[in-house]
Amino acid sequence: MSGTRFAPSGPLRGSLRPPSDKSISHRAALIAAMGEGETEVRGYLDAADTRSTLHAVEEIGAGLSGGGPSGVAPAIRIEGTGLREPTSARVDVGNAGTLLRLLPGWLAGQGEGHWTLDGDESIRRRPVDRIAVPLREMGARLRASGDRLPPLEIEGAALHGIAYEMPIASAQVKSCLLFAGLLAEGETRVIEPLPSRDHTERMLAAAGADVRREGDAIVIRPAESLEPQSIDIPADISSAAFFLAAAVLVPGSEIALEEVGTNPTRTGLLTILERMGAAIEREDEREVGGEPIASLRVRSAPLRATEVGGAEIPLAIDELPLVALAACFAEGTTFIRDAEELRRKESDRIETVTATLRALGGNVEPTADGMAIEGTGGLRGGAIDSHGDHRIAMLGAVAGLASKQGVEVLGMDAAAVSYPGFEADLGSLLAS
Ligand code: S3P
């Protein structure tokens, strides 16, 4: 298999709007499918993961029209089945962990019906016991392989509300239980050990659900129905993150990334890069569809090492690979701690990030819950394998631009899971 080569580059310049937010797109399709009538979603992400969610909602009876290329372009319209009407189905979730964890929350509380969720090779390694345990406590009937992994089988059942203290800070588990709470008898209370992304809470409240935060708990009460709405999806800070990192690392760069979601539960990378010495300006700040957005202007900067752990981890969970990359260019040794969850992503990201950076000349030591990365003044370059993980593929590309000799990425096609136009967009920032 031949790879895709990313040569050392000159400065990145210009501006673009990164693709729409993946987390919010998944939720928009699911919440629209639960609605009574037609929801319009503007800027739905057109990528492999979010296509899986559209197929899933069609399989269970929602109607779909419109559609088009990614970005802010044409709206899709989703005709909901109503909260209590999804039809039995086998659902292929593809590579989408968010779909795998969120959808069962809605299905488990159906009085009747039978659903099977399965996906690709990577999805079969993603644990579902984290949702099965609390859902069963609510009365759900679920079966998983070895009680832990997909395929996941769900038989509709009557649910009752519980108070559940999550052992891990996971927005996927939280969202699953909030969906289940819409159909459960009584109140469902989800207690988070640390705040995680809160898109589900915002979107359910906008659809008329009785959901509120009480300290470290999110409390939801059952709903008769959800109101269809129009939903606007901002650009994904997790996709913008690759260009942010590239611009910080390649000397002389200055770029602007437009309409990026800046929900404080997602902006950990900005805080971390700023602490390392980067200057990231927020311009044109406003709110779209209940979410804060801004244009992010960033320039290259010399970096110093930092320590990342605790409450910062869930706020930067998908960007921690880029923190490790940036740390290779920083002065001193960076420590990432409390991030054992990285082992349960599309790949074991403690292993794949370590292998990637070492292959390019980095000095990285993996630990049980993170990494220690010694800054070595940059990276030599070389060849890496994406391991089928979209974020490792794009990390390799950014490393290539900032490296001395360039990077060849095997399996660059994995980027299509969240960002099919990644190479073209990167090219446009190099050509400007
Ligand atoms: C997501 C939550 C995070 C994140 C994932 C998307 C979501 O996972 O890593 O990419 O949309 O809720 P966890 O909730 O399992 O930490």
Side-chain angles (χ1 to χ4, degrees):
M1 183 167 69
S2 80
T4 309
R5 192 176 142 72
F6 296 89
S9 79
L12 285 81
R13 289 289 162 84
S15 64
L16 59 79
R17 181 200 191 268
S20 291
D21 193 278
K22 183 156 83 71
S23 287
I24 301 177
S25 293
H26 284 304
R27 287 159 173 77
L30 293 171
I31 292 171
M34 292 175 199
E36 273 321 307
E38 190 176 86
T39 291
E40 186 179 65
V41 186
R42 286 187 291 263
Y44 189 84
L45 172 66
D46 185 11
D49 252 23
T50 43
R51 284 187 175 197
S52 294
T53 301
L54 289 184
H55 288 142
V57 299
E58 271 192 306
E59 286 297 325
I60 60 180
L64 209 65
S65 54
S70 58
V72 274
I76 55 167
R77 284 180 296 282
I78 298 174
E79 181 71 33
T81 63
L83 256 182
R84 290 171 180 79
E85 300 293 333
T87 50
S88 297
R90 282 189 72 83
V91 174
D92 179 1
V93 305
N95 190 252
T98 303
L99 176 57
L100 173 70
R101 271 68 168 265
L102 266 58
L103 180 57
W106 177 27
L107 301 179
Q110 303 301 324
E112 50 194 63
H114 183 187
W115 296 269
T116 305
L117 273 60
D118 199 2
D120 68 10
E121 198 193 315
S122 148
I123 220 73
R124 287 197 164 191
R125 295 192 297 266
R126 310 285 301 273
V128 288
D129 48 342
R130 54 186 54 203
I131 56 163
V133 167
L135 284 175
R136 280 191 192 122
E137 235 182 87
M138 295 176 80
R141 292 187 294 177
L142 308 161
R143 265 206 317 267
S145 165
D147 223 23
R148 210 179 108 75
L149 299 173
L152 177 66
E153 299 211 32
I154 305 161
E155 297 279 352
L159 304 187
H160 51 87
I162 56 168
Y164 184 67
E165 232 172 281
M166 293 198 296
I168 43 172
S170 164
Q172 293 181 352
V173 176
K174 171 177 65 175
S175 302
C176 172
L177 299 181
L178 294 178
F179 286 168
L182 288 171
L183 291 156
E185 200 186 309
E187 181 182 279
T188 299
R189 181 174 284 266
V190 186
I191 300 135
E192 294 193 280
L194 292 169
S196 65
R197 67 192 67 191
D198 64 359
H199 308 303
T200 305
E201 296 91 301
R202 289 173 186 245
M203 295 172 84
L204 285 179
D210 179 358
V211 57
R212 62 184 186 278
R213 177 169 270 281
E214 281 180 15
D216 56 3
I218 300 98
V219 183
I220 192 159
R221 298 198 53 82
E224 275 312 307
S225 59
L226 293 183
E227 291 156 26
Q229 342 142 51
S230 30
I231 303 176
D232 284 288
I233 306 201
D236 197 330
I237 192 162
S238 298
S239 296
F242 295 96
F243 303 136
L244 282 174
V248 169
L249 296 180
V250 177
S253 299
E254 176 172 347
I255 61 169
L257 300 165
E258 288 157 9
E259 295 177 18
V260 177
T262 50
N263 180 317
T265 59
R266 296 285 300 280
T267 50
L269 178 72
L270 305 185
T271 323
I272 296 165
L273 285 177
E274 280 171 343
R275 202 160 65 231
M276 294 176 83
I280 303 167
E281 284 163 41
R282 297 181 191 204
E283 296 165 353
D284 200 14
E285 290 186 82
R286 60 210 151 93
E287 203 164 283
V288 167
E291 293 277 346
I293 69 165
S295 286
L296 303 176
R297 178 171 296 279
V298 58
R299 295 178 196 83
S300 59
L303 299 180
R304 52 186 172 269
T306 189
E307 301 200 3
V308 184
E312 218 164 38
I313 297 297
L315 313 183
I317 186 72
D318 294 335
E319 291 69 64
L320 293 174
L322 287 170
V323 172
L325 171 67
C328 293
F329 292 75
E331 204 176 314
T333 301
T334 293
F335 295 92
I336 300 175
R337 302 189 178 94
D338 310 319
E340 206 206 329
E341 271 299 298
L342 285 179
R343 297 199 180 274
R344 309 212 166 71
K345 296 298 173 189
E346 287 83 333
S347 65
D348 174 340
R349 287 187 180 151
I350 294 184
E351 289 309 319
T352 51
V353 169
T354 299
T356 299
L357 297 177
R358 280 183 174 169
L360 305 180
N363 189 357
V364 184
E365 276 307 318
T367 62
D369 68 348
M371 283 165 267
I373 310 109
E374 190 192 339
T376 45
L379 289 174
R380 179 194 63 230
I384 64 131
D385 189 328
S386 71
H387 298 275
D389 182 334
H390 55 133
R391 300 204 196 279
I392 301 296
M394 293 186 275
L395 170 104
V398 173
L401 308 185
S403 69
K404 296 189 182 74
Q405 297 171 10
V407 171
E408 178 159 341
V409 181
L410 291 176
M412 194 59 213
D413 53 336
V417 158
S418 60
Y419 200 161
F422 173 75
E423 285 177 68
D425 280 357
L426 183 60
S428 80
L429 294 174
L430 293 173
S432 307

